[in-house]
Amino acid sequence: MSFIGALCILLVLTTLAGHLSNRIGVPSVIGQILVGIIVGPAVFGWIHLDNMINLFSQIGVIILMFIGGLESNLKLLRKYLRPAIVVAIIGVIFPVIMIGGACWAFSFSPLEAIFIGVVFSATSVSISVEVLRDYKSLDTKEGATILGAAVADDIIGVILLSIMISIMGTQGVATGGSSTSLTLVFIEQIAFFGLTYLMVKWIVPYMMRIGERLLMASSVTITSMVICLGMAYIAEAVGLSGAVGAFFAGIAVAHTPYRDTIENHMEPIGYAVFVPMFFVSIGLNMSFAHIGDSLLFVGILTILACLSKLFGCGIGALMNGFNLNSSYMIGSGMISRGEMGLITAQIGFSSGLLSDSYYSDLILVIILSTLIAPFLLKHAIHLLPADDKADLPLGVEDDSSEHASAS
C-alpha cells in the first residue's frame, strides 16, 4: 500500500505542477520532471524510484509513443524519410565525436570515450512528442522528420551499442536477458520491420474488425492496447526500444476507421496515471550527491549533449532543404536523451563498460539535457510562422476526414 500512497501524492503534485507550468508558459513535462527532482533523492528524498514506479513509467512511455503514432501521418513520414535518415546519421556522428573527444580530454581511455559518445548518440523522442502535441506541431514536416529521425536514431544506436559491447569484451548485446550475436540482432530487427509492414497493411485492420465484433465493453480499445503492448514487447525482444514498437503500433491503428475512437480512449488511460509517472521517474533518477566533485565534467558534457544534437541534426536538416528555423526546430526535437540514454547507460554499466565513479555523472547529464530540450523545442516552434505547416501530399487531408467519418 505504500506504493498506492506514493502514487496518490505524485498524481496530485504532477497535476498541480502541470497546471502551473502551463499558466507560466512552460511545457507541462518540465513541471512533472521537477516534481520527481524535488520529492526524490536529489532534494527531499521522500520518494524513491522503485520497481512499481519504474513499471508504471515504462507503460507510460509505451502509451505516449502509441498516441504519438496515432497522431502521425504515415504518408508524411514516408515523404520525409530521406531527410529523417540523414538527420539521424549526422545526429549520431556529432555526439560520438564531440562528447567522445571531451571524455578523452578528461583522461578516459579511447574506447571508454567513444562508448560514452555512443550513449549520447541516442535520442528519446517521448518528451519531444509531448511538446509537439502541446503546440499542435506533431503533424508538420518538422514533426514528421523528428519522428522518423528518432526511429532511425534508435536503430543506429542499437547497432553501435552492440559493436561497442562486442569490442570491449562482452560477447554480443544483452537483449531480453540473453546474449545474442550481432548478426542475429540485425536479422531480428529486419524481421521486426517486415512484421511492422504486415501489421500496418493487413494484420491490424483485421484484428480491429474482430475486436469490434466482440461482445465486450471497450473491445476495440482493448484490442488496440493488445496491439500496442505486443509490438512494444517484440521491439524490446529484438533489441530495439519498446517505444519504437508502440509508435508503429499507433501508426498501424491510425490507418483503420477506429483512429479517433482509440485516440479518445487512450489519452485518458495514459495521461491519468502512466504518462505522468514516466516524467516523474526522470526526476527521481537525479541525485546531487557528488555533484561538487565533478561539476566541470557534468557542465561541459551537458552543453555538448545539447549542442551535438542541435548542430548535428540541424545541419542534416539544412542539407535536405529545410530553412534555418525548421532546422533549429528539428535539432531541438532531437536533444532529449530521456529513457533511451538511461537505458543505454544502464546496459553499459551492467556490462562493465561504465564504472561507478562516473556512471552517476552521466545519468545527471542525460537528465539535465532532457530538462533543457523542451525549452529549446518550444522556442523553436514559436519562431516558425503559424501557417508554416507541411505541404501535405495529395489526399492526406481526405484520409483524415475519412477516418473521422468512419469512426
Side-chain angles (χ1 to χ4, degrees):
M1 293 302 292
S2 60
F3 167 71
I4 301 297
L7 181 62
C8 180
I9 292 168
L10 290 174
L11 288 176
V12 170
L13 293 177
T14 52
T15 301
L16 293 175
H19 169 75
L20 292 173
S21 297
N22 286 324
R23 284 292 298 271
I24 63 176
V26 174
S28 60
V29 298
I30 295 297
Q32 294 173 337
I33 294 172
L34 288 175
V35 166
I37 294 172
I38 292 168
V39 304
V43 182
F44 291 117
W46 294 333
I47 298 175
H48 294 267
L49 187 63
D50 58 17
N51 289 335
M52 288 299 294
I53 294 177
N54 191 49
L55 175 62
F56 271 51
S57 72
Q58 289 179 24
I59 296 173
V61 174
I62 289 169
I63 293 178
L64 179 61
M65 292 307 296
F66 179 71
I67 294 171
L70 279 173
E71 296 183 353
S72 299
N73 191 306
L74 188 57
K75 290 184 179 179
L76 203 58
L77 284 170
R78 281 201 207 105
K79 180 175 181 179
Y80 293 101
L81 181 62
R82 180 181 173 276
I85 292 174
V86 174
V87 166
I89 291 172
I90 300 179
V92 166
I93 293 171
F94 268 59
V96 171
I97 294 175
M98 293 173 68
I99 294 177
C103 291
W104 183 67
F106 275 96
S107 302
F108 287 81
S109 71
L111 280 177
E112 284 178 329
I114 293 171
F115 181 78
I116 294 172
V118 169
V119 168
F120 285 95
S121 69
T123 294
S124 168
V125 77
S126 309
I127 291 176
S128 296
V129 164
E130 178 67 3
V131 177
L132 290 169
R133 288 186 73 250
D134 281 349
Y135 294 98
K136 305 292 188 296
S137 299
L138 192 60
D139 200 14
T140 62
K141 60 184 178 182
E142 295 84 6
T145 303
I146 290 170
L147 288 169
V151 172
D153 191 285
D154 194 18
I155 297 167
I156 296 168
V158 169
I159 294 169
L160 291 177
L161 180 62
S162 305
I163 293 170
M164 289 302 300
I165 290 177
S166 299
I167 291 173
M168 296 177 77
T170 302
Q171 295 300 314
V173 56
T175 55
S178 63
S179 184
T180 312
S181 70
L182 188 58
T183 303
L184 185 56
V185 169
F186 293 158
I187 294 172
E188 287 174 342
Q189 290 176 4
I190 291 169
F192 170 80
F193 286 105
L195 174 63
T196 298
Y197 175 79
L198 295 176
M199 294 289 286
V200 172
K201 197 77 174 174
W202 293 293
I203 299 174
V204 167
Y206 179 71
M207 290 179 67
M208 296 299 291
R209 286 195 297 272
I210 292 176
E212 188 181 32
R213 295 183 186 133
L214 296 176
L215 301 176
M216 177 70 185
S218 302
S219 58
V220 172
T221 303
I222 294 171
T223 304
S224 70
M225 181 66 87
V226 169
I227 294 166
C228 168
L229 297 177
M231 289 192 69
Y233 175 80
I234 294 170
E236 286 278 356
V238 301
L240 294 167
S241 166
V244 171
F247 174 71
F248 282 114
I251 288 178
V253 173
H255 283 73
T256 69
Y258 313 97
R259 172 182 181 171
D260 291 344
T261 301
I262 300 305
E263 187 176 345
N264 291 335
H265 288 187
M266 289 297 291
E267 284 196 6
I269 294 172
Y271 284 89
V273 180
F274 298 108
V275 174
M277 289 303 100
F278 162 58
F279 295 124
V280 163
S281 70
I282 294 174
L284 292 176
N285 265 301
M286 186 175 281
S287 173
F288 299 132
H290 306 288
I291 186 65
D293 300 331
S294 52
L295 193 59
L296 180 64
F297 177 69
V298 169
I300 290 176
L301 246 64
T302 301
I303 293 170
L304 292 178
C306 296
L307 293 181
S308 58
K309 284 290 185 182
L310 185 63
F311 285 109
C313 297
I315 289 171
L318 282 171
M319 290 170 58
N320 281 276
F322 286 92
N323 63 36
L324 198 58
N325 287 339
S326 293
S327 300
Y328 173 40
M329 177 175 165
I330 291 167
S332 301
M334 296 292 289
I335 289 174
S336 174
R337 295 336 194 263
E339 81 283 355
M340 284 307 301
L342 295 172
I343 290 167
T344 308
Q346 177 59 35
I347 291 173
F349 179 67
S350 61
S351 302
L353 307 180
L354 297 174
S355 68
D356 291 329
S357 57
Y358 54 86
Y359 173 67
S360 59
D361 294 337
L362 296 183
I363 295 298
L364 182 57
V365 173
I366 290 168
I367 293 172
L368 287 173
S369 63
T370 301
L371 274 171
I372 293 167
F375 288 106
L376 289 176
L377 183 54
K378 176 194 170 185
H379 180 255
I381 290 171
H382 285 163
L383 289 179
L384 289 178
D387 58 347
D388 188 17
K389 303 295 182 184
D391 44 329
L392 298 178
L394 192 62
V396 168
E397 291 294 342
D398 293 337
D399 289 346
S400 301
S401 59
E402 284 172 13
H403 289 318
S405 60
S407 54

